[in-house]
């Protein structure tokens, strides 16, 4: 097989390189990363005894590939604390515990009685599956307006920092789409699947949500990046931004900002879609335009550390999310030091708040002082924290999470058709077929197989 250039040293690019080398250790692979730091959205920083995740917080342990990869690079996964099963939604000026099971749902103060009855009515609403539909339209249609506003909208913030009025149900939550398509409804589908699992002797609970336990490493998600960096060694080129890609004979040539270029046989872009758009604009304008249609809102994370006694609201939980109808300035706050050990020094707590996302992108781009003031104001109102934090860090992602808006799946089909014209050019990364770390690693695993097969 010829030389392989991988563009982007986030988890997609790094895991792809790993899986390719696992199949053939003699492969000629170079990974070009534009930044001086490897890992992309995985970025762990330690300061003053706190461990901050500037981006990715963890992955769910119910898909095997990330765990398998961790094991192969000799890492010990760390499951989140039991307390983090407790999650809250801020609604009507207070925090409500998110119910985990049907009895708790009936007793929950989050939803009105009519809102609860409307959710239960989902069982008898006939299936009316649509090829494409926004998450908001789907949720209102099947679960009612209140459930949409208080449950689905904050969930879309928590996962995508997204706006459910534009996100595609089918692209973002294919499992939920399938429940209606196959069984005529969500509750019906979950009951059927539960019965089938029971018959097979499995005690695993069926839900419409992602399931699994949030998992990371004692020293944060950065451990995975470090382990892959150690494995890949000299194949990594940091500070190497690929500016352009063009065809040359049966292969490709990559251009860099200093005017240099290199030739290669196979190119895989594991860079964000907007970066791909820039790189291929001279080679294939249509491909460039198509990938540019994938929007990336801004998101900032504000990490505040406090001495424990300064916080009156119990923080032995995962944290809270805020429905957009509450019109607050943060999307929610995670109680990081309660989720995993080693996130704050003894006697302190670490809270991580999200600002921005698809609905409030401009807010995320405010300067650091303004962001910290804004979060402090919100934590005072929501958690009654009146003291100044003892530790502050702000992390900004100007182009944060790709949004799978309505039309995303058709866009992917069109991209695939165009790629057939460009043999040995591949696109991977979180812009296309799943935004989570688990999706990125699974997609890289499959792509490694495909590249070996096709070459
Ligand atoms: C704030 C935040 C929190 C998140 N939290 C979670 C979480 O807890 N769990 C989860 O599963 N997912 C989470 N995600 C989603 C996460 O982005 C993905 O799961 C995953 O990390 C994306 O990896 P990637 O390699 O596809 O992309 P990226 O991490 O974006 O990596 C792309 C890389 O390409 C590089 N690059 C860009 N342009 C060029 C160029 N021209 N030349 C060379 N290199 C280039 C970039 O510098 C970057 O390193 C979060 C995302 C954000 C923004």
């Amino acid at each position: 097989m010829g030389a392989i250039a991988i563009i982007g040293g986030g988890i997609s690019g790094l895991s792809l390189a790993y899986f390719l080398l696992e199949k053939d250790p003699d492969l000629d692979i170079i990974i070009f990363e534009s930044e001086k730091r490897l890992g992309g959205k995985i970025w762990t920083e330690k300061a003053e005894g706190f461990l901050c995740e500037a981006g990715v917080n963890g992955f769910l342990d119910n898909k095997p590939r990330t765990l398998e990869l961790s094991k192969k690079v000799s890492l010990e996964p760390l499951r989140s604390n039991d307390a983090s099963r407790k999650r809250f939604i801020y609604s009507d000026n207070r925090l409500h515990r998110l119910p985990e099971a049907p009895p708790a749902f009936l007793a929950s103060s989050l939803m009105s009685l009519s809102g609860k009855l409307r959710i239960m009515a989902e069982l008898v609403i006939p299936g009316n599956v649509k090829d494409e539909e926004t998450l908001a339209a789907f949720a209102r249609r099947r679960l009612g307006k209140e459930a949409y506003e208080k449950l689905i909208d904050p969930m879309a913030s928590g996962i995508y920092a997204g706006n459910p009025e534009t996100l595609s149900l089918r692209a973002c939550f294919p499992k939920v789409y399938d429940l209606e398509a196959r069984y005529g409804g969500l509750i019906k589908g979950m009951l059927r699947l539960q019965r089938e699992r029971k018959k097979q002797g499995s005690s695993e609970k069926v839900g419409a949500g992602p399931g699994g336990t949030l998992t990371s490493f004692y020293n944060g998600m950065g451990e995975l990046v470090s382990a892959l960096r150690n494995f890949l060694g000299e194949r990594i080129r940091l500070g190497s931004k690929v500016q352009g890609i063009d065809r040359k004979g049966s292969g490709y040539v990559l251009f860099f900002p200093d005017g240099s270029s290199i030739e290669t046989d196979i190119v895989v872009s594991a860079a964000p879609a907007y970066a791909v758009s820039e790189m291929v604009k001279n080679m294939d304008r249509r491909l460039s335009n198509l990938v540019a249609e994938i929007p990336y809102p801004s998101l900032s994370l504000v990490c505040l550390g406090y001495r424990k006694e300064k916080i009156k609201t119990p923080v032995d939980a995962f944290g809270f999310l805020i429905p957009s109808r509450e019109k607050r300035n943060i999307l929610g706050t995670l109680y990081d030091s309660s989720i995993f050990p080693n996130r704050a020094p003894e006697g302190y707590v670490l809270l991580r708040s999200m600002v921005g996302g698809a609905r409030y992108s401009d807010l995320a781009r405010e300067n650091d002082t303004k962001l910290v003031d804004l979060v402090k104001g919100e934590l005072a109102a929501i958690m009654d924290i009146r003291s100044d934090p003892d530790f502050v860090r702000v992390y900004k992602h100007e182009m944060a999470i790709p949004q799978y808006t309505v039309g995303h799946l058709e866009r992917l089909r069109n991209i695939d058709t165009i790629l057939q014209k460009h043999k040995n050019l591949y696109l991977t990364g979180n812009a296309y077929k799943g935004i989570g770390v688990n999706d990125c690693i699974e997609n890289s695993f499959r792509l490694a197989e495909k590249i070996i097969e096709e070459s």
Side-chain angles (χ1 to χ4, degrees):
M1 194 191 293
I4 305 175
I6 297 177
I7 306 169
I11 195 61
S12 296
L14 296 175
S15 57
L16 174 68
Y18 181 92
F19 292 130
L20 282 166
L21 289 164
E22 191 182 35
K23 290 184 182 301
D24 182 351
D26 295 327
L27 286 178
D28 174 8
I29 296 180
I30 303 182
I31 300 146
F32 296 101
E33 165 55 50
S34 56
E35 301 293 319
K36 292 266 157 53
R37 174 186 64 78
L38 212 56
K41 297 291 184 281
I42 299 183
W43 173 16
T44 305
E45 197 185 47
K46 277 188 173 175
E48 298 169 40
F50 290 88
L51 187 152
C52 296
E53 293 291 12
V56 175
N57 196 23
F59 59 93
L60 295 169
D61 68 351
N62 56 349
K63 304 242 180 88
R65 205 72 69 192
T66 309
L67 289 172
E68 281 169 19
L69 177 63
S70 309
K71 203 167 156 202
K72 285 174 184 169
V73 292
S74 308
L75 295 181
E76 191 65 54
L78 176 72
R79 300 314 192 277
S80 52
N81 296 327
D82 277 353
S84 66
R85 295 233 314 274
K86 251 190 268 171
R87 294 168 187 231
F88 291 86
I89 299 286
Y90 182 77
S91 175
D92 302 323
N93 300 318
R94 69 187 184 96
L95 293 170
H96 303 258
R97 178 146 178 204
L98 192 62
E100 277 177 68
F105 165 73
L106 291 174
S108 163
S109 59
L110 175 62
M111 304 278 300
S112 68
L113 179 61
S114 61
K116 289 176 190 168
L117 291 172
R118 177 61 184 82
I119 290 183
M120 289 192 270
E122 201 273 337
L123 185 61
V124 292
I125 295 176
N128 182 17
V129 72
K130 314 242 189 305
D131 211 33
E132 257 296 27
E133 190 177 22
T134 65
L135 174 60
F138 169 85
R140 279 192 289 258
R141 176 166 68 75
R142 294 232 50 102
L143 301 166
K145 180 168 177 280
E146 193 179 339
Y148 160 59
E149 290 181 348
K150 292 184 176 173
L151 297 172
I152 306 301
D153 171 281
M155 180 190 71
S157 282
I159 302 175
Y160 282 86
N163 178 355
E165 302 287 352
T166 58
L167 291 177
S168 154
L169 168 79
R170 198 171 179 184
C172 296
F173 300 100
K175 222 169 102 184
V176 177
Y177 173 89
D178 283 348
L179 284 175
E180 185 181 24
R182 291 180 57 196
Y183 303 102
L186 308 187
I187 303 178
K188 260 189 229 157
M190 287 189 288
L191 292 172
R192 276 275 295 279
L193 287 175
Q194 192 76 63
R195 272 201 302 273
E196 281 167 25
R197 289 222 180 134
K198 227 175 183 172
K199 263 194 219 155
Q200 292 158 2
S202 160
S203 59
E204 199 195 326
K205 287 220 172 75
V206 175
T213 300
L214 189 70
T215 302
S216 177
F217 307 96
Y218 188 73
N219 288 306
M221 287 299 291
E223 276 197 48
L224 184 55
V225 174
S226 302
L228 289 168
R229 182 183 51 221
N230 292 342
F231 177 83
L232 296 167
E234 306 218 318
R235 298 178 182 92
I236 296 167
R237 304 282 150 82
L238 291 178
S240 296
K241 178 179 174 168
V242 175
Q243 202 165 40
I245 307 174
D246 221 335
R247 303 288 296 258
K248 183 148 191 211
S250 62
Y252 293 88
V253 56
L254 306 184
F255 300 99
F256 298 90
D258 63 1
S260 64
S261 62
I262 66 134
E263 290 180 22
T264 184
D265 300 293
I266 297 170
V267 177
V268 185
S269 171
Y274 56 86
V276 175
S277 170
E278 197 53 37
M279 286 181 238
V280 301
K281 71 174 189 246
N282 291 328
M283 185 183 79
D284 192 321
R285 177 62 67 170
R286 204 163 155 248
L287 179 60
S288 169
N289 291 342
L290 266 174
V291 291
E293 285 173 18
I294 300 170
Y296 282 73
S298 303
L299 182 70
S300 289
L301 300 178
V302 177
C303 298
L304 301 181
Y306 294 89
R307 282 207 65 85
K308 261 184 188 150
E309 58 271 17
K310 290 182 178 173
I311 298 183
K312 296 178 200 103
T313 302
V315 289
D316 59 333
F318 190 80
F320 60 87
L321 289 170
I322 309 181
S324 62
R325 71 179 210 155
E326 299 295 324
K327 306 241 177 305
R328 308 287 331 187
N329 286 322
I330 57 175
L331 300 177
T333 298
L334 300 191
Y335 307 160
D336 273 14
S337 49
S338 301
I339 302 175
F340 293 113
N342 194 33
R343 270 41 180 175
E346 194 57 39
Y348 288 84
V349 298
L350 179 64
L351 307 179
R352 199 165 64 121
S353 301
M354 296 165 282
V355 183
R359 280 192 167 112
Y360 316 101
S361 241
D362 290 349
L363 217 50
R365 293 193 287 268
E366 293 286 1
N367 67 46
D368 288 10
T369 313
K370 177 100 193 272
L371 283 171
V372 172
D373 284 347
L374 200 133
V375 170
K376 274 163 60 184
E378 293 296 61
L379 295 185
I382 296 168
M383 298 177 72
D384 197 24
I385 300 176
R386 306 281 160 191
S387 314
D388 275 334
D390 303 286
F391 169 84
V392 175
R393 278 289 181 286
V394 177
Y395 301 101
K396 287 178 154 161
H397 300 275
E398 184 153 356
M399 305 289 266
I401 301 181
Q403 303 290 297
Y404 298 176
T405 53
V406 164
H408 186 79
L409 295 176
E410 198 193 342
R411 211 168 289 134
L412 294 191
R413 283 192 290 274
N414 292 334
I415 290 171
D416 278 348
T417 309
I418 293 180
L419 285 177
Q420 280 167 20
K421 284 194 315 197
H422 300 296
K423 188 170 169 0
N424 289 336
L425 171 67
Y426 302 92
L427 301 185
T428 191
N430 69 349
Y432 312 103
K433 295 177 181 161
I435 61 148
V437 167
N438 279 340
D439 304 306
C440 294
I441 292 177
E442 180 64 33
N443 289 334
S444 290
F445 178 83
R446 291 190 189 175
L447 182 56
E449 285 185 332
K450 184 171 167 186
I451 291 172
I452 300 273
E453 215 179 274
E454 290 181 356
S455 306

